[in-house]
């Protein structure tokens, strides 16, 4: 009998790739959808006929209970969040309600109505903040630097507490930045690749950015969702850093993206605008995934340059059609 999985945030980047992975493994997949006034399902349209959709919202406790009762999951993947760091400064209360309190709501529903399931909580490298250490691992202290980050710390600590207090099977993946052609355009990687595609096609003249010096540990989303699944196949649940162990600056990201279309004089196409500067930014985030490699037999498969090339080419195809 196939396993059943419930994915919150199924229309997001990670949710779409995870749904594909679980369907390949013959899972019955349920996806929790939040009602919106405009379509948000472009990432999963190609597999929508294979997914059981349930209307739910992390701000509505009753809908979470109903979702769990209807899906009766063996595995729960909580990926839903307000996940844009910059936007979290504009809507800090909403971010805390969805990303922080929303996780607590689904944990409480899970504890009451599906305690036999395994639960994955999507944690974030943003929780580490500026801690003065070169590399972050599972033992590094959190020092969040944004409403998104401190909401994720709350959610992460809630998941750990429910695991330890109620002996529930909960694992947290502390994910470093991971990208793909399905990344939203409000994230810097997609903002860059989409602009480069348009500049290449003559549809845009400039790419406008904020601070270009921060360095991030950028991985490939399809690689990262494999680690989520592997965490819930373990006998003992735990927390894992998922990363590449390499960093690249925003400047390197821009240079790499322009190189895909053969533009060497990229500085002529880039301008900086102070309005895109964050009130508090993390200069460098680098992860140590050695625990995941040892215990999950997981490691990244896709190189940074390969990922950016794919993203640029997919954006060129989109703008041509």
């Amino acid at each position: 009998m196939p396993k059943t999985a419930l994915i919150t945030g199924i229309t997001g980047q990670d949710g779409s790739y995870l749904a594909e992975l679980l369907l390949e493994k013959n899972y019955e997949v349920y996806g929790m959808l939040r009602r919106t006034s405009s379509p948000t399902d472009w990432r999963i349209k190609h597999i929508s006929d294979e997914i059981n959709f349930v209307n739910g919202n992390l701000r509505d406790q009753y809908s979470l209970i109903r979702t769990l009762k209807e899906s009766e999951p063996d595995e729960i993947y909580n990926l839903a969040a307000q996940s844009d760091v910059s936007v979290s400064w504009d809507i800090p209360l909403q971010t805390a309600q969805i990303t922080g309190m929303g996780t607590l709501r689904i944990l409480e529903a899970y504890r009451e109505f599906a305690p036999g399931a395994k639960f994955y909580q999507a944690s974030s490298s943003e929780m580490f903040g500026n801690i003065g250490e070169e590399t972050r691992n599972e033992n590094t202290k959190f020092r969040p630097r944004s409403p998104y980050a401190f909401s994720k710390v709350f959610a992460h600590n809630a998941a750990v507490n429910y695991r330890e207090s109620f002996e529930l099977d909960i694992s947290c993946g502390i994910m470093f930045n991971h990208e793909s052609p399905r990344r939203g355009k409000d994230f810097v990687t997609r903002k860059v690749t989409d602009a480069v595609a348009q500049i290449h096609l003559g549809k845009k003249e400039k790419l406008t950015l904020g601070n270009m010096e921060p360095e991030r540990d950028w991985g490939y989303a399809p690689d990262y969702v494999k680690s989520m699944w592997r965490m819930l196949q373990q006998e003992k649940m735990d927390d894992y850093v998922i990363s590449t162990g390499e960093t690249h600056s925003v400047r390197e990201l821009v240079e790499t993206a322009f190189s895909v279309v053969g533009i060497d004089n990229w500085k002529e196409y880039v301008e900086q605008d102070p309005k895109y500067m964050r009130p508090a930014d993390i200069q460098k985030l680098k992860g140590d995934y050695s625990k995941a490699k040892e215990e999950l037999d997981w490691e990244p498969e896709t190189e940074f340059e390969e990922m950016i090339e794919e993203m640029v080419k997919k954006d060129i195809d989109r703008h041509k059609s």
Side-chain angles (χ1 to χ4, degrees), residues 134 177 188-189 211-219 244-256 282-287 302-308:
E134 175 69 18
N177 299 65
V188 68
T189 47
N211 188 358
M212 295 179 65
E213 303 313 315
E215 297 178 35
R216 293 293 182 266
D217 187 326
W218 275 304
T244 69
E246 299 178 0
T247 62
H248 301 272
S249 67
V250 176
R251 188 178 300 275
E252 289 178 76
L253 162 66
V254 172
E255 186 174 5
T256 301
I282 303 170
Q283 290 308 305
K284 188 171 185 177
L285 274 174
K286 181 180 177 183
T302 309
E303 296 292 334
F304 173 77
E305 292 79 9
E306 182 183 352
M307 174 182 72
I308 299 304

Side-chain angles (χ1 to χ4, degrees), residues 185-204:
K185 291 182 183 179
D186 45 354
F187 288 84
V188 68
T189 47
R190 238 344 263 306
K191 181 178 182 180
V192 168
T193 62
D194 185 72
V196 168
Q198 292 190 65
I199 290 168
H200 171 67
L201 295 171
K203 295 185 175 184
K204 191 171 186 173

Side-chain angles (χ1 to χ4, degrees), residues 95-207:
T95 298
Q97 274 294 329
I98 297 170
T99 305
M101 287 299 296
T103 298
L104 181 58
R105 291 187 190 99
I106 194 168
L107 283 169
E108 187 60 16
Y110 157 58
R111 180 177 75 87
E112 289 286 345
F113 298 99
K118 292 183 176 181
F119 189 104
Y120 171 81
Q121 170 58 24
S123 295
S124 169
S125 62
E126 289 286 332
M127 301 188 303
F128 293 125
N130 286 319
I131 44 87
E133 297 178 22
E134 175 69 18
T135 305
R136 280 76 159 167
N137 61 30
E138 294 81 4
N139 298 316
T140 304
K141 292 183 178 180
F142 299 139
R143 192 183 176 193
R145 300 289 289 165
S146 69
Y148 168 74
F150 61 67
S151 298
K152 275 294 187 183
V153 170
F154 176 91
H156 176 85
N157 286 337
V160 171
N161 270 271
Y162 270 62
R163 179 176 69 213
E164 296 175 350
S165 300
F166 302 112
E167 298 183 348
L168 295 168
D169 287 329
I170 300 172
S171 279
C172 300
I174 305 175
M175 299 278 165
F176 278 68
N177 299 65
H178 45 288
E179 318 300 319
S180 76
R182 297 181 191 174
R183 192 54 136 161
K185 291 182 183 179
D186 45 354
F187 288 84
V188 68
T189 47
R190 238 344 263 306
K191 181 178 182 180
V192 168
T193 62
D194 185 72
V196 168
Q198 292 190 65
I199 290 168
H200 171 67
L201 295 171
K203 295 185 175 184
K204 191 171 186 173
E205 295 182 356
K206 293 287 184 179
L207 163 62

Side-chain angles (χ1 to χ4, degrees), residues 2-8 10 19 23 27-33 44 47-56 67 70-72:
K3 286 184 178 179
T4 299
L6 169 66
I7 304 173
T8 73
I10 195 168
L23 288 170
Y27 276 66
E28 183 174 4
V29 176
Y30 282 78
M32 192 176 85
L33 287 181
I44 55 170
I47 53 172
S48 59
D49 291 344
E50 302 175 71
I51 298 171
N52 304 292
F53 293 106
V54 184
N55 290 316
T67 296
E70 184 171 334
S71 59
E72 297 183 336

